[in-house]
Amino acid sequence: MERIFYRDNEQCFIDVAKPNEVTQTDLIILIHGGYWRVDKTLITVADILTYFTKKGYVVCNIEYRRGENNPWPTPSLDVNSAIEKIKQEFPTENYVLIGHSVGGQLALLNAKELDRVIALAPVTDLIYTRDHHLGDDAVQEYFGEEASDTELVRASPCHHLPLKAASCLIIHGADDVRVDVGTSIRYFQENLADKNNIELLILPRMAHQEIINPIHDHFSYCLQWIKENMDK
């Protein structure tokens, strides 16, 4: 594993995994979730990194600043800087950005930087997330009890539609109690009014954390989707 830094800060780094033999032209970029909490790190998506590496992909796993000492929009700015660093270090025309939960939020907000995005149970509507006390009141904890709707709108992918990426796949579990599947449905529907560049896959009996377990069939579908959307 190689580690590169994209800012002069020990929290701002990218872990790069390379297979013994690189057989794929796509480069995978991962963004972990954790509802902006510092105890959830890039290790949470380590199994996804291993999965794609074994399939012959180079994988870049982004760590970013968050928590009470790093208010919004620090996480999004960090991810944007990390993507730019990856482009400099590993130039290719074939990037795939994959984010889970808040990582999905960050992926969708930075989707203009890349052609293909996969969002796993993404947080798309922070006002809804706050009002329904999701993630153990994660929005209130990170943004503050007095955060204005205007601030939450700026951080909500659902208020930045249509999505600028050429192709996007959203996968969400019907049994997710951490991020409401209805927010992904509404995000898909609202985007469809302007652009038909998002595919939505809803999985029955799939919980929030289980969706990042590569043993499930939707990861095989992700591989297929990546290849089918390479030239879009």
Side-chain angles (χ1 to χ4, degrees), residues 48-213:
I48 300 179
L49 180 147
T50 300
Y51 174 83
F52 280 102
T53 304
K54 288 182 176 179
K55 299 294 183 181
Y57 292 88
V58 175
V59 183
C60 293
N61 196 4
I62 296 174
E63 190 57 280
Y64 55 92
R65 291 171 293 174
R66 57 207 177 280
E68 62 180 358
N69 295 323
N70 297 291
W72 189 265
T74 299
S76 188
L77 295 174
D78 276 1
V79 165
N80 187 272
S81 294
I83 291 171
E84 290 304 312
K85 181 67 172 180
I86 291 167
K87 287 181 175 180
Q88 293 171 10
E89 296 288 329
F90 307 100
T92 177
E93 296 180 357
N94 303 304
Y95 300 99
V96 182
L97 187 58
I98 302 176
H100 170 240
S101 193
V102 160
Q105 171 214 20
L106 297 169
L108 294 172
L109 289 174
N110 287 280
K112 66 181 183 299
E113 304 295 336
L114 300 154
D115 287 334
R116 286 167 294 167
V117 176
I118 298 175
L120 305 171
V123 176
T124 58
D125 188 338
L126 274 67
I127 293 176
Y128 181 96
T129 302
R130 176 199 64 191
D131 292 347
H132 289 79
H133 305 281
L134 298 176
D136 302 315
D137 284 326
V139 171
Q140 293 91 322
E141 178 185 320
Y142 180 60
F143 288 85
E145 294 285 350
E146 305 302 320
S148 67
D149 285 0
T150 300
E151 183 179 4
L152 298 183
V153 162
R154 285 197 294 265
S156 297
C158 68
H159 293 287
H160 296 268
L161 294 173
L163 184 69
K164 294 179 175 62
S167 302
C168 175
L169 172 63
I170 297 176
I171 305 177
H172 210 130
D175 291 349
D176 195 331
V177 297
R178 304 287 291 175
V179 179
D180 194 331
V181 66
T183 58
S184 283
I185 294 172
R186 289 190 293 275
Y187 183 87
F188 169 77
Q189 290 174 331
E190 291 170 11
N191 189 81
L192 193 61
D194 293 299
K195 293 185 73 175
N196 185 24
N197 59 341
I198 299 178
E199 180 178 337
L200 175 62
L201 178 63
I202 299 175
L203 304 174
R205 299 177 297 280
M206 181 62 66
H208 186 68
Q209 287 301 122
E210 194 61 23
I211 204 168
I212 57 175
N213 189 337

